Amino acid sequence: MALIDVKVPDIGDFDEVAVIELLVKVGDTVKAEQSLITVESDKASMEIPSSTAGVVKELKVALGDKVKQGSVVLVVEAAGEAAASAAAPVSPAPSVRAEPALRQAQDDRDSGQASPSTSSGQTEIAASGPVQVLVPDIGDFKDVAVIEVLVKPGDKIALEQSLITVESDKASMEIPSSHAGVLKELKVKVGDTVNIGDLLAILEGAVAASPSPQPSPQGGEGAKPAAPAVPAAAAPQAASVSVVAAPAAHNPTASAPVGLPHASPSVRKFARELGVPLAEIKGSGLKGRITAEDIQSFTKSVMAGAVQTVAQAAKAPASSGGGGSELGLIPWPKVDFAKFGPIERKEMGRIKKISGANLLRNAVMIPAVTNFDDADITDLEAFRVSTNKENEKSGVKVTMLAFLIKACVAALKKFPEFNSSLDGDALVYKQFWHIGFAADTPNGLMVPVIKDADKKGVLQISQEMGELAKKAREGKLSPAEMSGATFTISSLGGIGGRYFTPIINAPEVAILGVCKSNMEPVWDANKDGGAFVPRLMLPLSLTWDHRVIDGAAAARFNAYLGQILGDFRRVLL
Ligand code: CAO
């Protein structure tokens, strides 16, 4: 039995790459070429295979360690032939693929030529007529599968923009365009296999890049055009390996798409085999990386009904698609609208589909009642206006909503069941006051959350609300910024209307709808023996879950809220 150090083989130009996954542990029996660890640079991830078969005796690296060629990964006790040749262990496994772009650059340096994909100092050369984009030198990769197509005909393509993603069993990489132009035709589709030199796409109005002048080994001074701007003769350029993207969290209420998921090739393959949508999984690995275990637990949660995939949520009977049979209702009417006039059909966005499914569940499952009331905010509005004048220079504008958040916290403290959630037969009373507010965005309704609103002043709440509403409109809210609410306010005050019936955001048990305040004549019995006086009245619509809250409590909640808004000093009591 011989102990063999398994080292990081030649991984091209990669220097000091981070270990992001350990795929084996001490005691495991490994085969030659079996992947041991995954390393990642900012451009690529790759699995490092074992140079020998045997039993893992010692791991020499930990998550987060930086390794390079020659670093010892682990010690293997080799058996049989491997042991016999232990004195001369198998050379680093050739299956480890360095990033082709870097390798190309290395080759170019070795041969003294500038890399065609050099990104700095490029000049553009116009091409006449259509240009063929070919699969560039992708190193050892042969017959690699196209797993993603990132562009479509008609798209304006930038130079080096990724066109497709290909994947072998050890790495995945994005193939960039050798030219800029408009995509006329894509010659590959998902599932095809490609090799160096294969025709990938045809661009029109293309321009290619050439490196800026560099001294050539022959002492020449001109630059050699990297990819000749000659139609159909563009020299293959190096591809850039890149599996990189921010991790996408699974958040059934509303989360904006954030690019490709962060996972190793084998994990992506595993997910594909199971039909698991990687983009909906929150990775538990280093830097949010999705692991095989994450896929397993996501699959278990879906099977147990604890989690819905976006596709499932979209298929829920939120609209005509569901049919209504689930509730024993007559089917949704199917109408050929085109019979009555011209129509345009547009798919709903992802957020609308998800929130639609959630709203339907909440509307159907909660025995909800709405109480309407009015609050006299004449004095509060005057205070708001003067506060804004005083703070004009700070750039923070206070709207009525910030006062409402504070007032609701006081009411929630007085009536704690409004700040609770149902859990089976039990009520969970929350000892924190996180207030969600509905924000109207181009993508649909989002509900960012002001955390610990009880501990914040109106100015701080206003500032946070402004920042969160901006992020919501830009589709940049993180799942954390949309979770944890104990109560929600939906304000249409800036738009108009009188009253409406907001839908409770489960598992919360109540929601407050607010509309535009109006100057109204209000009877004042004390004034001049009784007279109508003009007062600014704010219409309130409180929807509550009748399983948790009674009508009397709801009426008291609204009345108390009215008292606070009528005299905001009561917040201090
Ligand atoms: N009565 C009268 N005026 C009001 C008011 C009220 N209740 N509430 C706000 N306003 C005024 C503001 O003072 C502001 O006036 P100025 O422009 O003159 O200063 C104006 O209306 C616009 O306010 P706003 O909407 O920018 O700010 P906000 O704090 O009231 O609301 C936000 C912020 C993000 C909640 C809001 O922009 C929004 O998206 N509302 C829609 C929410 C929604 O769609 N709810 C429905 C959900 S159910 O489908």
Side-chain angles (χ1 to χ4, degrees):
M1 296 289 175
L3 293 178
I4 297 176
D5 284 350
V6 177
K7 295 179 181 164
V8 175
D10 176 5
I11 49 174
D13 259 12
F14 282 84
D15 195 19
E16 299 279 300
V17 283
V19 176
I20 56 157
E21 259 172 329
L22 300 174
L23 304 169
V24 293
K25 57 184 185 317
V26 172
D28 282 0
T29 301
V30 295
K31 298 185 206 135
E33 294 290 311
Q34 180 178 334
S35 296
L36 303 175
I37 58 172
T38 309
V39 294
E40 186 181 66
S41 75
D42 60 339
K43 284 263 177 1
S45 66
M46 70 180 78
E47 293 174 8
I48 302 290
S50 182
S51 52
T52 188
V55 175
V56 178
K57 284 282 146 192
E58 196 185 344
L59 273 171
K60 293 282 197 183
V61 292
L63 284 181
D65 282 359
K66 294 277 171 70
V67 295
K68 57 184 180 192
Q69 182 179 352
S71 303
V72 178
V73 174
L74 45 75
V75 180
V76 164
E77 187 175 66
E81 280 177 27
S85 59
V90 184
S91 61
S95 59
V96 175
R97 275 85 169 176
E99 180 193 18
L102 297 177
R103 178 182 292 172
Q104 177 77 43
Q106 180 68 50
D107 293 348
D108 291 341
R109 269 198 298 285
D110 293 348
S111 67
Q113 290 176 354
S115 164
S117 63
T118 306
S119 59
S120 60
Q122 286 172 334
T123 56
E124 290 184 341
I125 299 173
S128 57
V131 167
Q132 294 188 346
V133 178
L134 309 180
V135 174
D137 177 4
I138 45 176
D140 281 348
F141 288 82
K142 293 226 164 43
D143 291 322
V144 284
V146 176
I147 58 159
E148 266 159 331
V149 171
L150 306 166
V151 290
K152 58 180 183 328
D155 282 359
K156 221 173 147 200
I157 308 293
L159 181 75
E160 299 215 343
Q161 178 178 337
S162 297
L163 301 176
I164 58 169
T165 310
V166 295
E167 188 178 79
S168 75
D169 58 344
K170 289 277 189 283
S172 55
M173 70 177 85
E174 291 175 10
I175 304 287
S177 178
S178 53
H179 290 71
V182 175
L183 183 61
K184 187 172 173 238
E185 209 181 337
L186 201 62
K187 293 290 194 183
V188 293
K189 59 182 185 319
V190 170
D192 286 352
T193 51
V194 295
N195 287 292
I196 179 171
D198 284 354
L199 178 59
L200 203 55
I202 296 178
L203 300 187
E204 269 181 334
V207 286
S210 71
S212 53
Q214 284 184 13
S216 75
Q218 292 82 20
E221 54 193 16
K224 170 166 92 82
V230 181
Q237 293 188 6
S240 72
V241 179
S242 147
V243 193
V244 206
H250 177 75
N251 177 358
T253 51
S255 66
V258 286
L260 290 177
H262 207 41
S264 71
S266 55
V267 168
R268 290 161 72 90
K269 185 158 176 257
F270 182 40
R272 257 200 329 279
E273 282 165 1
L274 294 178
V276 168
L278 266 188
E280 294 175 42
I281 297 183
K282 187 169 171 47
S284 64
L286 203 67
K287 293 193 222 155
R289 193 172 184 81
I290 299 167
T291 64
E293 287 73 37
D294 292 332
I295 291 178
Q296 279 163 346
S297 61
F298 179 83
T299 309
K300 278 185 196 158
S301 304
V302 171
M303 296 307 288
V307 165
Q308 260 194 332
T309 62
V310 170
Q312 286 172 329
K315 277 196 193 134
S319 64
S320 50
S325 58
E326 298 83 349
L327 300 170
L329 305 175
I330 58 169
W332 192 266
K334 276 234 171 266
V335 177
D336 178 8
F337 302 107
K339 274 199 321 205
F340 303 104
I343 58 166
E344 185 191 6
R345 189 184 163 83
K346 274 188 184 170
E347 276 302 308
M348 286 206 295
R350 182 171 170 271
I351 289 174
K352 272 219 148 115
K353 284 186 198 164
I354 295 171
S355 64
N358 279 278
L359 287 166
L360 178 76
R361 180 202 54 210
N362 300 344
V364 168
M365 289 184 67
I366 302 174
V369 184
T370 305
N371 276 37
F372 305 108
D373 211 336
D374 297 303
D376 183 337
I377 58 164
T378 317
D379 298 338
L380 186 56
E381 174 63 7
F383 178 59
R384 185 187 78 83
V385 170
S386 69
T387 306
N388 278 338
K389 267 206 188 101
E390 279 168 30
N391 287 290
E392 214 161 19
K393 286 200 184 115
S394 74
V396 180
K397 197 177 90 178
V398 179
T399 60
M400 194 47 71
L401 188 51
F403 287 103
L404 276 159
I405 287 177
K406 220 45 206 162
C408 282
V409 169
L412 292 170
K413 285 191 171 179
K414 189 166 171 72
F415 303 97
E417 66 268 35
F418 286 78
N419 203 51
S420 72
S421 280
L422 263 176
D423 183 15
D425 289 337
L427 265 190
V428 179
Y429 289 88
K430 282 156 259 179
Q431 310 297 322
F432 50 91
W433 291 269
H434 299 342
I435 310 296
F437 64 97
D440 183 29
T441 81
N443 294 324
L445 188 64
M446 313 279 276
V447 186
V449 180
I450 302 279
K451 302 271 162 58
D452 297 313
D454 56 314
K455 299 185 183 126
K456 294 173 182 164
V458 169
L459 287 176
Q460 189 181 348
I461 290 175
S462 294
Q463 181 170 358
E464 278 186 30
M465 229 165 49
E467 288 162 6
L468 288 170
K470 181 166 180 280
K471 274 192 180 179
R473 283 192 292 272
E474 291 168 353
K476 288 183 181 162
L477 280 177
S478 69
E481 286 166 326
M482 291 184 284
S483 27
T486 57
F487 182 83
T488 294
I489 303 179
S490 176
S491 172
L492 296 172
I495 305 168
R498 294 287 291 185
Y499 303 95
F500 67 112
T501 53
I503 294 173
I504 295 168
N505 196 11
E508 295 155 44
V509 295
I511 181 169
L512 180 71
V514 182
C515 285
K516 196 173 173 64
S517 54
N518 292 287
M519 197 54 89
E520 290 174 13
V522 175
W523 184 253
D524 184 345
N526 298 322
K527 191 168 164 90
D528 306 330
F532 280 106
V533 289
R535 304 295 292 176
L536 189 64
M537 304 304 288
L538 181 71
L540 305 174
S541 311
L542 179 73
T543 301
W544 39 278
D545 185 336
H546 211 336
R547 293 170 297 178
V548 179
I549 293 160
D550 293 330
R556 285 192 194 103
F557 185 98
N558 266 350
Y560 184 66
L561 202 55
Q563 282 178 10
I564 294 172
L565 294 169
D567 185 349
F568 212 70
R569 292 171 302 182
R570 288 175 187 275
V571 163
L572 302 170
L573 298 179

